[in-house]
Amino acid sequence: MNAAAKETLGFQSEAKQLLHLMIHSLYSNKEIFLRELVSNSNDAIDKLRFQALSSPELLAEGVELAIHIDLDEEAGTITISDNGIGMNREDAISHLGTIAKSGTAQFLESLTGDQQKDAQLIGQFGVGFYSSFIVADKVVVETRAAGSEPADGVRWTSAGESDFEVESIEREIVGTSVTLHLKADEKEFADGWRLRSIVKKYADHVSVPVMMKQLATEDDAEPEDEIVNTAKALWTRSRTDVSDDEYGEFYKLVSHDFQDPMTWSHNKVEGKFEYTSLLYIPAKAPFDLYNRESPRGLKLYVQRVFIMDEAEQFLPLYLRFVRGVVDSNDLSLNVSREILQKDPTIDSMRSALTKRVLDMIEKLSRDEGTYQAFWDEFGQVLKEGAAEDQNNKEKVAGLLRFATTASEGPVQNQSLAAYIQRMQAEQEKIYYVAAENYHTAANSPHLEIFRKKGIEVLLLHDRIDEWLMNYLAEFDGKQFQDVARGELDLGDLDNEEEKANQEEVETEFTGLIDRVKELLGEGVSEVRITHRLTDSPACLVVSEDDMGMQMRRILESSGQPVPETQRIFEINPEHPLVAKLNDEPDVDLFNNLALVLYDQAKLAEGTQLEEPATYVSRLNKLLLDLAAG
Ligand code: ADP
Ligand code: MG
């Protein structure tokens, strides 16, 4: 095929879907097309500058790197041009015709069809180049890659429906220009004043100059180009000179988010290592927060030269929701990802930045309402830190929030410090129960004795919780204790009289214990009298070293082999059904009742029965016996 030939190609199906959605849900955020296009031009210039570090011939002496925005009111077009890295034909086809973000298909599935909600989601996804089609019904991109010949220019044209055209063109200059042919009802954007105010709003903190023609002068002189943005990297300015609005707009520029950030922290560090960081916590979690492969991290600059996006070495994985920039004075300009991984400077920057973020979160936690909003978005990820970050374990644990038997409903709003304050005088441990959902945790039979004694218990119901508890042995010198695990030892919370009483009951019921043990055989490791139940007849307990049930379910559902664990079956001598069992001479009746109690103990903790139908028929037999008197 002749390279100059015009070809028509289809958009990748995800791209097509996204295009369609964007046009139909972003009508109240139309202006962002400008931010996206200017940001692409800025990226292209950053990339060229970066490549020129090793190939200086790419950047001719005296060339001023800049973005131009031109307007043709009569034709109804806006053109955004840059003299950055440019694209060759293949680049244009793949970069402008497909979406490279991983997880796009799942993202699209997660959309609701509700335009307002979808607009939010798309905002977090990052709309990019395709936002042009919110206001334009035809987009023409002319581009030429740095280092290529004038004959290697490319023209890419699309109406944004299902396909685009590419053809080779002669192009004198390197870089890209994007021309938007505004839709009939979007001509309002073809207005110098309007456009300028949008540029001010969305592109002020682009560090490259954005040039526009002067607005009409009174004496009808030919208007000249002038810079319309601040064109100074925001983080290099002093904190007191930057307004909240400016911080907010800069955040939107680096994150492509629509919303203002929840909070930020801007710091210049001097001394052994010199760097500036500007870190943001978004208001909403990104759509791919749980996709471990998604690129994440800070934008890295070295002495104000852009080096890379998504430098993930500066923060631990559990702080992956943080956005922002770090600008180092010490790193070399040709630093690579590989070097970053080995450089000891990075380690100390990483621990300082981690502390900084934890301080930001700590500050948020001083206001309950704000912190709840933070927790609902990012709490699950923060829990990873309490398990993984050895250096900051206690600090992160202090930021965790839980539902407890003292709080209302599934909302996680109690700190460990508050729990410890409410502990009873003789209480030594922090008690918790872990289950698949809040309801199962809150209604666990294991809580009965704690309710009776008025001891607060943490109700853990996130998937990650039991895993977390494997790593979080103690907080503020207090050990954690799973109430469904091991012998229940309430320490001094039980008085002498209660202890003596327990021993007496145990001897009284040895006969029953043996009969049940024989019936259940290998199914359980032990049968014993319980001290933790008041209302339920029986429960199941994990022994001290075995895997918890919640953890088991997670592993099983991820298809991993899980070793069988035998559990301890505990029965409540105070319960009338257990008393009945103790007095039951008929072997069939005894077996039926004991097995029903055993299955019920599983049901109460949220375990699925292996043979639910057998359980139902046993129970029905008992009911019939009852009915027959
Ligand atoms: P993103 O910027 O997040 O990668 P976009 O949809 O905004 O996504 O852009 C897609 C890609 O198109 C960019 O990554 C870049 O490779 C290419 N591109 C867009 N605009 C330009 C430009 N002005 N100069 C060079 N390449 C560009
Ligand atoms: Mg972009």
Side-chain angles (χ1 to χ4, degrees):
M1 189 188 74
N2 175 355
K6 208 183 225 185
E7 51 178 334
T8 302
L9 294 159
F11 283 110
Q12 170 205 34
S13 69
E14 279 101 323
K16 229 186 306 186
Q17 254 177 300
L18 191 67
L19 261 168
H20 180 83
L21 273 160
M22 207 174 305
I23 295 164
H24 294 276
S25 52
L26 292 186
Y27 50 83
S28 52
N29 288 294
K30 285 174 192 165
E31 303 166 350
I32 56 143
F33 75 88
L34 199 76
R35 181 187 79 195
E36 295 300 326
L37 295 178
V38 169
S39 131
N40 283 348
S41 289
N42 184 46
D43 291 350
I45 288 173
D46 276 346
K47 284 180 199 159
L48 178 60
R49 261 202 206 115
F50 179 67
Q51 285 207 356
L53 293 173
S54 50
S55 315
E57 71 282 1
L58 290 181
L59 199 55
E61 190 110 5
V63 167
E64 202 207 337
L65 292 169
I67 300 168
H68 280 86
I69 301 180
D70 291 297
L71 178 67
D72 184 334
E73 286 180 43
E74 260 150 61
T77 62
I78 301 174
T79 301
I80 294 102
S81 327
D82 63 71
N83 46 1
I85 194 81
M87 288 177 271
N88 62 28
R89 189 171 176 133
E90 278 156 46
D91 293 340
I93 291 173
S94 72
H95 296 161
L96 306 180
T98 59
I99 300 168
K101 284 193 187 82
S102 67
T104 302
Q106 294 101 294
F107 165 75
L108 289 168
E109 269 168 34
S110 74
L111 295 180
T112 56
D114 174 331
Q115 300 195 329
Q116 273 205 327
K117 280 196 199 130
D118 288 351
Q120 285 296 340
L121 281 167
I122 292 176
Q124 290 152 47
F125 179 79
V127 287
F129 170 75
Y130 292 137
S131 60
S132 320
F133 293 101
I134 304 173
V135 295
D137 49 18
K138 180 176 165 195
V139 176
V140 181
V141 179
E142 294 193 350
T143 181
R144 181 184 139 200
S148 69
E149 299 302 314
D152 297 327
V154 189
R155 182 183 294 126
W156 180 102
T157 311
S158 177
E161 273 146 15
S162 57
D163 49 34
F164 58 88
E165 268 172 15
V166 267
E167 61 188 308
S168 296
I169 55 166
E170 241 340 269
R171 184 170 160 88
E172 284 313 311
I173 46 171
V174 156
T176 304
S177 74
V178 177
T179 300
L180 308 179
H181 295 256
L182 296 169
K183 292 177 186 171
D185 49 357
E186 308 294 354
K187 294 277 198 260
E188 53 170 311
F189 290 108
D191 170 279
W193 292 97
R194 177 77 201 279
L195 203 55
R196 201 171 269 245
S197 77
I198 302 175
V199 173
K200 266 311 253 185
K201 176 166 175 207
Y202 289 102
D204 201 34
H205 303 298
V206 167
S207 47
V208 174
V210 177
M211 319 285 293
M212 287 181 79
K213 284 259 178 308
Q214 278 177 326
L215 290 165
T217 43
E218 268 181 37
D219 50 10
D220 273 352
E222 187 59 22
E224 289 180 18
D225 279 351
E226 62 179 357
I227 300 188
V228 292
N229 65 336
T230 307
K232 182 166 184 208
L234 180 113
W235 66 90
T236 60
R237 291 163 57 191
S238 133
R239 224 172 4 202
T240 47
D241 290 347
V242 185
S243 70
D244 286 1
D245 275 354
E246 288 179 301
Y247 277 121
E249 288 307 330
F250 185 71
Y251 163 74
K252 291 176 191 166
L253 192 68
V254 290
S255 68
H256 300 266
D257 198 347
F258 288 7
Q259 302 185 54
D260 283 318
M262 193 177 290
T263 186
W264 60 86
S265 171
H266 179 194
N267 300 88
K268 270 194 184 52
V269 175
E270 277 156 8
K272 198 160 153 223
F273 308 115
E274 296 196 354
Y275 62 91
T276 301
S277 62
L278 174 50
L279 307 174
Y280 291 93
I281 296 180
K284 289 268 174 235
F287 78 99
D288 55 354
L289 186 60
Y290 295 100
N291 181 351
R292 289 200 151 227
E293 267 104 78
S294 287
R296 52 185 46 113
L298 304 176
K299 259 182 187 302
L300 173 65
Y301 291 77
V302 170
Q303 294 161 32
R304 268 142 318 282
V305 178
F306 169 79
I307 305 294
M308 67 179 82
D309 272 314
E310 288 127 11
E312 73 272 9
Q313 293 81 358
F314 293 94
L315 285 171
L317 191 58
Y318 75 93
L319 296 178
R320 57 186 175 269
F321 52 87
V322 174
R323 297 278 171 274
V325 300
V326 51
D327 185 348
S328 158
N329 273 347
D330 308 309
L331 291 170
S332 129
L333 279 165
N334 52 29
V335 67
S336 65
R337 278 181 207 274
E338 291 67 38
I339 295 174
L340 284 181
Q341 261 151 19
K342 288 181 208 129
D343 191 332
T345 322
I346 306 303
D347 284 342
S348 52
M349 283 176 74
R350 177 186 166 110
S351 60
L353 291 168
T354 302
K355 292 232 156 57
R356 187 134 272 150
V357 174
L358 293 178
D359 286 344
M360 278 161 88
I361 301 176
E362 206 273 320
K363 242 186 222 149
L364 286 179
S365 77
R366 294 179 203 164
D367 179 86
E368 234 174 87
T370 314
Y371 198 59
Q372 201 58 52
F374 167 82
W375 183 259
D376 292 344
E377 292 297 321
F378 304 111
Q380 304 256 340
V381 196
L382 204 61
K383 284 179 180 175
E384 296 173 14
E388 289 173 346
D389 189 346
Q390 291 309 323
N391 298 329
N392 297 295
K393 206 172 203 147
E394 188 84 358
K395 186 156 192 172
V396 179
L399 295 167
L400 302 183
R401 293 293 180 271
F402 299 96
T404 86
T405 49
S407 57
E408 228 159 86
V411 53
Q412 301 178 357
N413 59 5
Q414 300 297 320
S415 69
L416 293 172
Y419 176 98
I420 288 175
Q421 278 210 321
R422 290 190 293 263
M423 272 172 47
Q424 300 199 0
E426 299 82 13
Q427 189 180 342
E428 282 156 12
K429 293 182 174 173
I430 301 173
Y431 293 104
Y432 71 90
V433 63
E436 200 161 14
N437 55 55
Y438 171 78
H439 202 70
T440 311
N443 292 295
S444 165
H446 294 281
L447 295 177
E448 290 173 7
I449 185 71
F450 291 89
R451 285 234 165 76
K452 185 174 163 204
K453 290 181 176 279
I455 304 168
E456 185 173 358
V457 179
L458 305 179
L459 303 173
L460 307 186
H461 58 273
D462 281 337
R463 278 178 75 90
I464 187 176
D465 285 339
E466 208 164 54
W467 171 82
L468 164 68
M469 290 327 239
N470 285 340
Y471 293 91
L472 201 62
E474 53 173 55
F475 177 74
D476 196 14
K478 309 270 186 299
Q479 282 185 352
F480 287 96
Q481 174 67 49
D482 181 350
V483 302
R485 182 184 285 274
E487 288 271 8
L488 178 72
D489 178 8
L490 289 176
D492 291 341
L493 290 165
D494 272 338
N495 58 37
E496 288 307 314
E497 196 185 326
E498 281 170 316
K499 283 180 187 156
N501 194 19
Q502 287 169 6
E503 279 169 30
E504 198 174 302
V505 177
E506 272 167 30
T507 32
E508 195 181 316
F509 280 82
T510 40
L512 175 63
I513 297 292
D514 290 344
R515 282 171 81 191
V516 176
K517 170 76 185 150
E518 197 182 311
L519 174 68
L520 298 181
E522 295 295 298
V524 294
S525 65
E526 193 187 341
V527 179
R528 68 188 181 203
I529 291 296
T530 192
H531 306 299
R532 54 186 112 218
L533 299 178
T534 59
D535 302 330
S536 302
C539 67
L540 283 158
V541 176
V542 183
S543 58
E544 215 54 81
D545 328 301
D546 277 332
M547 183 185 293
M549 291 311 283
Q550 188 54 12
M551 192 73 176
R552 158 176 297 272
R553 270 180 221 115
I554 292 169
L555 291 179
E556 274 169 357
S557 70
S558 71
Q560 296 195 45
V562 194
E564 270 308 313
T565 48
Q566 287 182 317
R567 288 190 296 152
I568 303 159
F569 186 46
E570 291 194 354
I571 51 181
N572 175 9
E574 313 279 332
H575 198 280
L577 280 175
V578 175
K580 183 149 178 46
L581 195 64
N582 198 21
D583 297 339
E584 186 53 66
D586 183 307
V587 178
D588 281 347
L589 262 180
F590 177 90
N591 290 357
N592 253 342
L593 182 52
L595 289 169
V596 164
L597 293 183
Y598 178 59
D599 281 348
Q600 283 181 345
K602 289 187 188 166
L603 289 173
E605 65 179 15
T607 300
Q608 289 203 343
L609 299 180
E610 273 157 37
E611 297 179 41
T614 313
Y615 167 76
V616 170
S617 83
R618 274 199 197 107
L619 185 63
N620 286 346
K621 235 182 246 152
L622 289 173
L623 291 175
L624 281 173
D625 286 343
L626 184 74

